[in-house]
Amino acid sequence: MRRVTTSEETPATRRTVLCGAALAALGLTATACGGGGDSGSSSETGSAGESKGTTDKPVELGDAEAVPVGGAKLYAEQKLLVSQPKKGDFKGFSAVCTHQGSTLNEIDGEVAVCPLHGSRFQVDSGKVAEGPATKALPSVPVKVENGKLLAG
């Protein structure tokens, strides 16, 4: 597997947007995602009252070619992990560690790594490769349209 990393910092409110998109795709309400592991003071609405917690529209991640075949890419801003185990077969997962909610920040071969306590997740399945996390990363639907990756 090819190693791809990112070190971009992301605002806490992006998690709410991602959770809303994933839950909308599953037909659930955004309130089920509310508390999470964040200790920040993120809000479901902006200063003008616009909703940030749900979206009916998939999130565009960019060119599908950015995800290497046999590898993976972290999308830090969207808190997503996308892998391509075989050409044209994309798998998406939340990049939020299921242990304490930190964002994964590195891909090391076939695993994505959490910087907080070292949990490692298989990039092709989201399953825990090494704890302390005990739950797999939630999957997020990913598809390709016109050469662009869309999540949610």
Side-chain angles (χ1 to χ4, degrees), residues 61-146:
L61 302 175
D63 290 335
E65 293 176 355
V67 180
V69 175
K73 178 176 170 74
L74 283 167
Y75 291 89
E77 186 175 325
Q78 297 85 359
K79 296 191 179 189
L80 287 172
L81 166 67
V82 177
S83 66
Q84 186 179 190
K86 296 183 289 183
K87 185 159 180 63
D89 179 25
F90 293 93
K91 309 226 180 218
F93 305 95
S94 168
V96 177
C97 181
T98 58
H99 176 237
Q100 287 191 343
S102 184
T103 304
L104 307 179
N105 73 336
E106 176 185 2
I107 295 174
D108 183 10
E110 297 179 358
V111 296
V113 182
C114 177
L116 191 58
H117 295 115
S119 290
R120 299 165 78 81
F121 299 87
Q122 296 172 357
V123 297
D124 62 348
S125 68
K127 291 181 181 175
V128 177
E130 183 178 323
T134 58
K135 294 181 181 176
L137 297 172
S139 66
V140 175
V142 176
K143 64 183 176 179
V144 178
E145 282 187 10
N146 299 320

Side-chain angles (χ1 to χ4, degrees), residues 1 8 15 17 39 46 51 55 71 85 101 108 119 146:
M1 286 245 182
E8 296 178 31
R15 180 175 185 197
V17 173
S39 58
S51 173
T55 179
D108 183 10
S119 290
N146 299 320

